[in-house]
Amino acid sequence: MIDNLFLCVGAQKAGTTWLHSQLENHEDISFSDVKEVHYFNTIHNGSILLTRRKVEHLERLIKNNKHSLERYFSDLSSGKKVDAGIDRLLSPVDDEWYISLFSNKTGKYAADFSPEYALIGKEGFSNVKRISENQKIIYMMRDPISRAISAIKYYYKMHNTNISEVPIESMRALAQSNLILNMSMYDITIKELRSCFNQDQVLYMFYENVMANKQESIDTVCNFLDISKVSIPEAQLSRRVNVTEDFDIDGDIISLLREKLANTYVYMKQEFKLPEKWYNDI
């Protein structure tokens, strides 16, 4: 079991990569070897991201370092201690596998920043509690429509697609997918988090406020985790990550998102003091 597990559960394109880059060298936090493990969404949502990453890693080993694989199987057959990294790569993905990712880590917290965990539901969050003694969760949010638009742009960027050439119907379908629409439905995730965790276990943060008060936001996170504060150079605080190119999204897509996310805006206005930059006419 993990003693103290620190998760950042989203939302995608809401500053999670930026926050990771500010905290990745903190002595009290031991991050997974990759920023986004995708374990819980693999188990509870059927995501293929973790499997794809393991396959890609294995392909690189076969191509560039097949001798390490040969040595692994030789050691395995002779009962010798095997390479832990390759063992995790070839082992079944289950709770013990996830716990092993942090077995040799130091620091107060084991940390995993996977935004897609926002969609794992009560069953997934219950799994988090089963494999860790204590949990701290940060849920980062951004104006739902702005976040969705940024995610759409990022999707086409990662697929090397010229967004200006995408048929409107294809973009409408993407806008209504789990990755885009459901990730902006903060009300659903918040209700699930509140049903599974105590109030002091979850910190809700808004991208717009974080970007306007970067060092203060880092201090807030450190207070939340009860770890030492760090003074981060302005150049690092201001460094942009995962930037997507600017492109005007068709008004029909914005109208669609506005309709689908109306209930989310109503809920968020009732529960939080929202940043001024959020859409105010919803």
Side-chain angles (χ1 to χ4, degrees):
M1 177 173 285
I2 298 171
D3 290 333
N4 298 294
L5 182 58
F6 167 33
L7 300 180
C8 185
V9 302
Q12 188 189 51
K13 304 306 295 178
T16 60
T17 301
W18 177 88
L19 182 61
H20 178 277
S21 70
Q22 307 307 318
L23 297 175
E24 62 181 341
N25 294 318
H26 198 293
E27 62 181 5
D28 292 327
I29 305 176
S30 294
F31 283 95
S32 52
D33 292 339
V34 293
K35 169 182 171 277
E36 301 177 12
V37 178
H38 292 297
Y39 172 67
F40 297 106
N41 53 312
T42 294
I43 298 300
H44 298 283
N45 276 358
S47 171
I48 64 170
L49 293 173
L50 175 55
T51 300
R52 180 186 298 164
R53 179 180 291 148
K54 291 182 73 173
V55 169
E56 290 172 349
H57 193 170
L58 184 59
E59 288 176 341
R60 287 195 296 270
L61 271 178
I62 294 172
K63 180 179 180 180
N64 301 319
N65 195 10
K66 66 178 182 179
H67 297 300
S68 64
L69 279 175
E70 294 170 352
R71 185 168 57 252
Y72 168 85
F73 287 112
S74 175
D75 291 344
L76 185 67
S77 62
S78 61
K80 295 180 181 179
K81 184 178 181 180
V82 298
D83 183 289
I86 296 178
D87 195 48
R88 284 195 294 269
L89 178 64
L90 298 177
S91 296
V93 173
D94 55 19
D95 286 353
E96 291 302 317
W97 177 89
Y98 184 76
I99 293 170
S100 74
L101 299 181
F102 305 99
S103 59
N104 295 321
K105 302 290 187 180
T106 60
K108 180 177 180 179
Y109 287 97
D112 174 6
F113 278 41
S114 297
E116 284 80 359
Y117 291 170
L119 304 180
I120 63 177
K122 291 182 180 180
E123 183 179 349
F125 290 131
S126 296
N127 193 170
V128 170
K129 296 176 72 173
R130 284 199 305 273
I131 67 172
S132 55
E133 188 70 29
N134 302 291
Q135 309 86 31
K136 288 287 189 177
I137 314 290
I138 289 182
Y139 186 30
M140 294 189 69
M141 296 167 282
R142 177 180 181 177
D143 173 81
I145 292 178
S146 296
R147 192 220 67 82
I149 291 172
S150 181
I152 290 171
K153 294 177 180 178
Y154 185 70
Y155 174 89
Y156 288 121
K157 173 184 176 181
M158 295 304 294
H159 287 79
N160 297 315
T161 300
N162 185 341
I163 193 172
S164 64
E165 298 176 357
V166 175
I168 187 63
E169 288 306 316
S170 296
M171 194 177 296
R172 282 179 61 89
L174 175 63
Q176 297 179 80
S177 67
N178 288 349
L179 182 65
I180 304 299
L181 187 62
N182 290 23
M183 191 69 79
S184 283
M185 291 180 170
Y186 308 142
D187 49 320
I188 296 174
T189 300
I190 291 170
K191 291 172 184 176
E192 292 168 343
L193 286 168
R194 287 176 171 175
S195 71
C196 293
F197 300 98
N198 296 330
Q199 185 175 350
D200 63 351
Q201 292 180 282
V202 185
L203 176 64
Y204 300 99
M205 304 187 75
F206 296 103
Y207 169 86
E208 294 84 0
N209 292 342
V210 170
M211 291 298 103
N213 303 281
K214 298 183 178 71
Q215 182 62 59
E216 181 182 326
S217 297
I218 297 299
D219 292 345
T220 297
V221 172
C222 291
N223 286 335
F224 170 66
L225 298 175
D226 192 22
I227 59 177
S228 59
K229 291 183 180 179
V230 288
S231 180
I232 298 176
E234 179 59 33
Q236 180 177 332
L237 287 172
S238 301
R239 185 168 62 90
R240 300 182 67 189
V241 293
N242 278 355
V243 180
T244 52
E245 62 180 299
D246 190 27
F247 182 85
D248 291 332
I249 294 292
D250 190 284
D252 180 60
I253 301 298
I254 295 177
S255 296
L256 172 66
L257 293 170
R258 193 184 299 266
E259 174 189 347
K260 297 292 185 179
L261 294 170
N263 290 338
T264 296
Y265 279 97
V266 170
Y267 177 86
M268 295 300 293
K269 286 182 178 181
Q270 291 173 344
E271 298 294 323
F272 299 94
K273 180 180 179 181
L274 301 176
E276 293 183 359
K277 290 187 178 181
W278 279 39
Y279 279 69
N280 294 316
D281 58 342
I282 301 290

